[in-house]
């Protein structure tokens, strides 16, 4: 098409300067290498036919000539310059779809490969296996005209991985110049991958970025000054996980209580009723228990909370004791030494956080929600480790966590489970640039937060999942949230924010100030 356009301007003779020997590749599977070579010949033949139809005689494809340099091998163990020499001035485009393996799914050999590729890194943390190709790619293109674009699992632009990978990439003088944010993708691989992916392009040349957005099932692009590692318009700041809040006046966010009990301390409604019927003394030791699913979908579940139970208490309840003995058996048979140690107190959950009052934040929530629902509970309800809790949290913390400002921050920095939000203390809560309000501001926020709880109560019988469905969220609940949003926004800036990008620009600026002051 380019040559056809040129011919309209100049009626001279044109030839293509693209040849098969300009194509290079590395593929770990021998058969796939042969397929790649055959595919190049077929592609050349197809293009020759088009050339003859639209332009003129084409160079004959037969006899077959050498194809591109397709090398069979593990691309993490090969020096890419031995396959395609990068002189620095050559125009090289490196593209690929490297394998996706989370830190739990890797083999020992792959772990060894990662340590070799990332030699010199203090810690690899939760880095996905695919990060190896971005790091090797950044080293290959630095200080040259070469560019790359890789299909990757979206994990590299979310959560802790951003702070682990991208600062080191940027230090090489490499920037993101092209990005497709998360989308669902299935390919024709033999294992039929169906994953949430991104496409990220890197360059060492100073240039504006091309950022894509999926609107009504069609991709649209816009030119931006810079693309952030979160694949949004913005700078190179990476939010780095921290063990404690960057604002020391904010209470800590803790995991809920992991049972680690083999299910023997947990009860459904029928089991609870049956136990109380057979052993009335057990009633005082039974509490309601909430995981994220129970919290969001109003599902009933109960547990034996025997934190303060004595040996005599247990001996007086044979049915309860039988369950405790099964917990001990399960823990002692575990291969994990920490679990084995828990067998010394089999009547208790692994964690024993049961404050008189606490805020509950589910660890995973649907990406469709504008707001992640937050709850307020007392000591009669036990939260599992599928939630986070703020012991003795106040309505002020409830207000901030419920605000659109905090939810936008969460959407920027949180990890994902597929496409769902994966909240965390170290990456989301602790890094959020909390502001210490005046007494008047605090009182206003607490009142508006209570308004959200009152609005929820006006819809009995509806679960939080139903109430926070963006397509059916009750108007009074939405109004309550939006009133809170405006008040929280004013904490950070008197001028209203125009959109999420405007909020995030403000939050990133405050994050940079607060972390700089800490250093």
């Amino acid at each position: 098409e380019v040559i056809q356009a040129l011919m309209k301007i100049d009626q001279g003779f044109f030839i293509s300067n693209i040849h098969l020997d300009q194509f290079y590749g590395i593929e770990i599977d021998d058969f796939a290498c042969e397929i790649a070579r055959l595919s190049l010949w077929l592609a050349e033949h197809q293009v020759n036919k088009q050339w003859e139809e639209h332009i003129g005689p084409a160079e004959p494809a037969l006899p077959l000539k050498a194809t591109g340099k397709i090398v069979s091998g593990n691309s993490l163990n090969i020096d890419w310059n031995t396959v395609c020499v990068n002189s620095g001035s050559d125009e090289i485009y490196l593209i690929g779809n490297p394998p996706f393996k989370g830190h739990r799914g890797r083999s020992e050999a792959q772990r060894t490969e990662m340590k070799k590729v990332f030699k010199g890194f203090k810690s690899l943390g939760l880095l996905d296996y695919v990060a190896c190709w971005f790091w090797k790619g950044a080293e290959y293109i630095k200080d040259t005209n070469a560019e790359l674009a890789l299909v990757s699992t979206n994990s590299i632009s979310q959560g802790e991985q951003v702070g682990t990978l991208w600062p080191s990439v940027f230090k090489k003088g490499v920037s993101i110049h092209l990005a497709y944010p998360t989308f669902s993708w299935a390919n024709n691989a033999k294992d039929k991958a169906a994953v949430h992916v991104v496409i990220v392009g890197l360059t060492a040349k100073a240039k504006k970025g091309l950022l894509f957005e999926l609107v009504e099932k069609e991709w649209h692009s816009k030119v931006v000054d810079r693309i952030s590692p979160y694949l949004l318009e913005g700078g190179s700041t990476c939010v780095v996980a921290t063990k404690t809040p960057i604002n020391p006046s904010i209470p800590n966010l803790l995991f809920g209580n992991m049972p680690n009990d083999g299910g023997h301390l947990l009860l459904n409604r029928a089991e609870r009723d049956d136990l109380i019927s057979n052993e009335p003394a057990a009633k005082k030791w039974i509490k309601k228990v909430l995981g994220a699913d129970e919290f969001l979908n109003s599902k009933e579940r109960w547990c034996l909370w025997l934190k303060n139970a004595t040996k005599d208490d247990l001996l007086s309840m044979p049915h309860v004791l039988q369950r405790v003995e099964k917990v001990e058996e399960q823990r002692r048979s575990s291969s994990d030494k920490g679990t084995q140690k828990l067998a010394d107190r089999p009547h208790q959950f692994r964690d024993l956080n049961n404050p008189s009052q606490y805020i509950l934040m589910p660890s995973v929530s649907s990406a469709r929600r504008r707001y992640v629902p937050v709850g307020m509970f007392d000591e009669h309800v036990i939260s599992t480790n599928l939630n986070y809790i703020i012991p003795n949290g106040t309505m002020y913390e409830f207000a901030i966590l419920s605000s659109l400002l905090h939810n936008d921050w969460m959407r920027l920095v949180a990890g994902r489970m597929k496409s769902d939000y994966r909240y965390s203390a170290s990456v989301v809560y602790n890094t959020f640039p909390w502001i210490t309000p005046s007494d008047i501001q605090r009182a206003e926020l607490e009142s508006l937060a209570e308004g959200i709880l009152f609005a929820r109560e006006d819809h009995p019988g509806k679960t939080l999942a139903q109430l926070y469905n963006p397509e059916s969220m009750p108007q009074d609940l939405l109004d309550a949230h939006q009133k809170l949003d405006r008040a929280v926004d004013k904490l950070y800036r008197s001028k209203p924010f125009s959109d999420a990008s405007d909020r995030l620009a403000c939050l990133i600026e405050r994050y940079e100030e607060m972390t700089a002051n800490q250093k």
Side-chain angles (χ1 to χ4, degrees):
E1 290 176 353
V2 170
I3 291 175
Q4 283 181 291
L6 288 171
M7 289 175 66
K8 292 179 180 178
I9 301 171
D10 183 350
Q11 297 299 316
F13 177 70
F14 287 90
I15 62 171
S16 169
N17 285 317
I18 300 174
H19 308 285
L20 292 189
D21 59 7
Q22 292 169 304
F23 290 82
Y24 302 78
I26 306 173
E27 166 57 47
I28 200 167
D29 184 275
D30 288 337
F31 182 69
C33 282
E34 296 302 326
I35 294 296
R37 295 185 184 104
L38 177 60
S39 296
L40 285 171
W41 277 321
L42 291 173
E44 182 183 43
H45 175 69
Q46 290 171 328
V47 175
N48 281 348
K49 288 294 183 183
Q50 294 176 20
W51 185 278
E52 291 172 350
E53 181 181 350
H54 297 290
I55 297 176
E59 186 178 352
L62 295 175
L64 293 175
K65 296 175 289 296
T67 60
K69 189 174 181 182
I70 311 298
V71 175
S72 178
N74 184 334
S75 58
L76 295 186
N77 296 331
I78 294 175
D79 179 355
W80 295 356
N81 268 289
T82 64
V83 178
C84 178
V85 177
N86 185 357
S87 67
S89 59
D90 286 336
E91 189 174 323
I92 300 173
Y93 297 100
L94 193 158
I95 62 174
N97 168 27
F100 313 149
K101 291 280 187 181
H103 71 288
R104 292 181 179 175
R106 291 193 292 269
S107 67
E108 193 57 42
Q110 291 167 338
R111 292 188 185 94
T112 301
E113 288 169 354
M114 288 195 72
K115 289 178 182 177
K116 183 178 179 182
V117 169
F118 288 104
K119 185 179 180 181
F121 272 59
K122 290 182 179 179
S123 171
L124 301 186
L126 300 176
L127 274 186
D128 193 291
Y129 189 50
V130 74
C132 295
W133 281 266
F134 282 96
W135 182 243
K136 285 201 72 167
E139 291 183 315
Y140 180 78
I141 71 172
K142 67 177 182 179
D143 303 322
T144 74
N145 284 327
E147 296 180 351
L148 71 81
L150 303 176
V151 180
S152 164
T153 175
N154 61 0
S155 61
I156 63 155
S157 60
Q158 301 166 353
E160 292 185 29
Q161 295 199 46
V162 171
T164 305
L165 174 65
W166 291 107
S168 296
V169 170
F170 297 150
K171 284 180 182 178
K172 291 185 175 293
V174 173
S175 62
I176 299 173
H177 76 294
L178 177 148
Y180 285 77
T182 298
F183 61 98
S184 181
W185 178 63
N187 65 21
N188 294 320
K190 58 187 176 183
D191 55 356
K192 191 60 179 175
V195 290
H196 289 85
V197 301
V198 294
I199 300 175
V200 181
L202 300 181
T203 184
K205 296 183 286 187
K207 61 194 300 184
K208 290 184 179 292
L210 192 62
L211 184 60
F212 288 80
E213 182 180 8
L214 191 61
V215 179
E216 296 181 351
K217 297 183 179 181
E218 289 190 4
W219 286 104
H220 299 264
S221 65
K222 65 176 179 178
V223 177
V224 298
D225 288 332
R226 292 183 298 174
I227 299 176
S228 85
Y230 299 98
L231 308 189
L232 300 168
E233 182 176 0
S236 60
T237 297
C238 298
V239 175
V240 179
T242 176
K243 293 181 179 179
T244 57
I246 58 174
N247 183 336
S249 67
I250 299 303
N252 287 326
L253 183 73
L254 309 177
F255 265 122
N257 303 284
M258 177 183 281
N260 200 342
D261 67 330
H264 302 299
L265 297 178
L266 300 174
L267 309 163
N268 58 33
R269 164 67 78 168
E271 290 169 331
R272 168 190 175 273
D273 293 346
D274 186 55
L275 181 59
I276 293 174
S277 175
N278 291 310
E279 209 155 70
K283 185 175 182 180
K284 67 172 287 190
W285 303 102
I286 295 176
K287 292 181 184 287
K288 192 172 183 179
V289 66
L290 294 177
D293 188 33
E294 289 83 7
F295 170 64
L296 294 170
N297 295 292
S298 300
K299 293 183 178 180
E300 282 193 332
R301 208 175 186 197
W302 309 83
C303 72
L304 285 165
W305 187 254
L306 301 163
K307 177 181 177 180
N308 299 317
T310 65
K311 188 174 182 178
D312 289 339
D313 289 327
L314 297 176
L315 290 172
S316 69
M317 299 180 290
H319 289 85
V320 171
L321 182 60
Q322 187 178 31
R323 285 178 169 270
V324 170
E325 288 171 345
K326 288 180 179 179
V327 174
E328 181 177 8
E329 181 182 346
Q330 179 266 331
R331 289 177 177 176
R332 291 209 187 280
S333 63
S334 173
S335 59
D336 181 74
K337 291 184 178 179
T339 301
Q340 292 173 9
K341 191 174 182 180
L342 287 175
D344 295 337
R345 52 180 183 91
H347 60 298
Q348 296 175 333
F349 279 33
R350 187 197 74 173
D351 308 300
L352 301 171
N353 298 315
N354 185 32
S356 58
Q357 176 181 296
Y358 63 92
I359 295 172
L360 182 152
M361 167 67 76
S363 61
V364 177
S365 178
S366 170
R368 296 179 63 246
R369 296 186 183 114
R370 187 172 176 83
Y371 305 94
V372 175
V374 184
M376 184 74 83
F377 295 95
D378 61 23
E379 60 188 330
H380 299 295
V381 179
I382 304 299
S383 170
T384 74
N385 58 302
L386 297 178
N387 304 308
Y388 286 93
I389 65 172
I390 304 177
N392 304 312
T394 69
M395 290 307 295
Y396 166 67
E397 287 85 30
F398 182 97
I400 299 298
L401 295 179
S402 299
S403 70
L404 185 59
L405 191 87
H406 185 77
N407 277 268
D408 280 343
W409 178 261
M410 181 272 300
R411 275 183 276 273
L412 177 71
V413 302
R416 296 286 195 278
M417 182 175 286
K418 293 185 178 179
S419 62
D420 291 343
Y421 304 134
R422 192 169 189 172
Y423 200 89
S424 81
S426 60
V427 179
V428 184
Y429 181 87
N430 292 345
T431 62
F432 182 73
W434 293 78
I435 284 181
T436 304
S438 67
D439 291 342
I440 294 175
Q441 290 171 326
R442 188 183 186 100
E444 180 189 11
L445 292 176
E446 289 179 341
S447 175
L448 292 170
E450 288 175 350
I452 289 175
L453 293 177
F454 292 144
R456 290 180 189 174
E457 291 175 0
D458 287 338
H459 301 275
K462 285 198 172 184
T463 67
L464 288 172
Q466 292 169 330
L467 290 174
Y468 283 83
N469 182 333
E471 296 174 1
S472 57
M473 189 174 189
Q475 189 60 48
D476 60 338
L477 179 58
L478 179 60
D479 290 343
H481 268 282
Q482 290 177 339
K483 287 178 183 177
L484 175 66
D485 293 339
R486 289 190 286 271
V488 172
D489 284 354
K490 285 182 181 179
L491 269 184
Y492 288 79
R493 196 174 78 181
S494 57
K495 178 184 176 183
F497 295 110
S498 58
D499 53 23
S501 297
D502 199 15
R503 285 188 194 87
L504 292 172
C506 173
L507 290 173
I508 287 290
E509 183 179 351
R510 287 189 174 273
Y511 170 80
E512 291 172 340
E513 291 173 359
M514 294 177 76
T515 52
N517 290 337
Q518 278 188 332
K519 291 177 182 179

